[in-house]
Amino acid sequence: MQRAVDPLDTALQIQAICELRGESASNPDPGCAWTGDLNGVWQLHRHPVFAPLVAEIAAHAQTYLGALGFCDSAVALHLQRCWPVVSETGQVVGRHHHPNAHLSAVYYLNGDGSGRHGCLRLFPVRQVNELVPGLAVGHGGPIGVASPFNAAWLDVAPRAGLLLLFPSCLDHAVLENHEPDDHRLSISLDFVLTAPPAAPSSRPPEYLAPHPSQWQAIGEDGLRA
């Protein structure tokens, strides 16, 4: 979704990210963008400058779940972590996914939609329209013209105020920032789904982890009181 951008709020958020980033420039390879989750900045939602924005994004995540058919009373959504990403000219983020989360989000603080700041590249888990294995590879195959229905990936150009939500299991990467005088700035979030707290006389459903409030921590001496 495209969110209306408040220039003052955005300026304060960019300033805060620059302060949190400090003198760091990469992650740690010079060709890799700086990401807060690998540099101790993974709870951006607790920062007063970002708390209202993150609360709005969380509300959109709830709406997203509703659109997928989830019943509000049957699932609990938890914000696991939230971190900034800063990509300087020529920097990228390699292909990866988030195995410890269920739903991921990215919000862009800048970008004009041209893709020059570095597109987000989403890779399908499998080519669902690849009716014949390898048909889209080429080498004399039956696909003559590139089709979005058989594309190996989907590129999304960053635009200030754009919010994307996608399954955390989806492989994704960030392409090179080609803007010589501008950083690419975004905020990433990971959400986890569990069952709601279960009453003493009931049990959580098998397809969701129990609510964290009903977990039991285990220490060196066994179960903790």
Side-chain angles (χ1 to χ4, degrees):
M1 66 155 292
Q2 182 64 47
R3 179 179 178 272
V5 176
D6 185 310
L8 178 58
D9 285 346
T10 300
L12 291 173
Q13 291 158 0
I14 292 176
Q15 180 182 7
I17 289 175
C18 291
E19 291 174 354
L20 291 167
R21 180 175 178 240
E23 298 299 321
S24 299
S26 59
N27 212 33
D29 186 325
C32 184
W34 180 87
T35 64
D37 59 328
L38 295 183
N39 289 278
V41 186
W42 58 277
Q43 292 187 310
L44 207 61
H45 51 287
R46 301 188 187 278
H47 194 294
V49 170
F50 298 95
L53 172 62
V54 173
E56 184 179 336
I57 293 174
H60 287 301
Q62 291 277 20
T63 301
Y64 176 84
L65 293 181
L68 293 179
F70 284 90
C71 179
D72 288 345
S73 62
V75 66
L77 182 66
H78 308 268
L79 176 57
Q80 183 191 71
R81 67 185 74 194
C82 177
W83 68 98
V85 179
V86 181
S87 177
E88 295 185 353
T89 304
Q91 291 185 333
V92 302
V93 176
R95 180 171 175 170
H96 67 288
H97 66 281
H98 302 177
N100 56 341
H102 296 129
L103 176 63
S104 293
V106 58
Y107 176 78
Y108 296 101
L109 295 175
N110 69 336
D112 57 8
S114 67
R116 287 188 53 80
H117 285 84
C119 289
L120 175 69
R121 177 162 289 182
L122 301 169
F123 299 88
V125 176
R126 66 183 185 90
Q127 301 298 112
V128 294
N129 289 310
E130 192 177 38
L131 306 182
V132 179
L135 66 83
V137 174
H139 306 296
I143 301 295
V145 179
S147 165
F149 298 111
N150 270 303
W153 56 69
L154 171 67
D155 287 345
V156 180
R159 181 185 298 274
L162 178 64
L163 170 64
L164 298 176
L165 292 154
F166 56 92
S168 301
C169 63
L170 199 63
D171 272 10
H172 54 283
V174 176
L175 304 186
E176 181 179 349
N177 178 6
H178 290 287
E179 283 292 346
D181 302 313
D182 198 12
H183 292 357
R184 176 190 186 276
L185 296 109
S186 61
I187 299 171
S188 295
L189 306 92
D190 273 346
F191 297 92
V192 169
L193 279 67
T194 73
S201 60
S202 64
R203 63 173 181 81
E206 293 295 332
Y207 53 84
L208 285 172
H211 193 273
S213 65
Q214 297 175 311
W215 295 4
Q216 177 66 63
I218 299 176
E220 294 181 359
D221 300 325
L223 292 176
R224 296 176 181 174

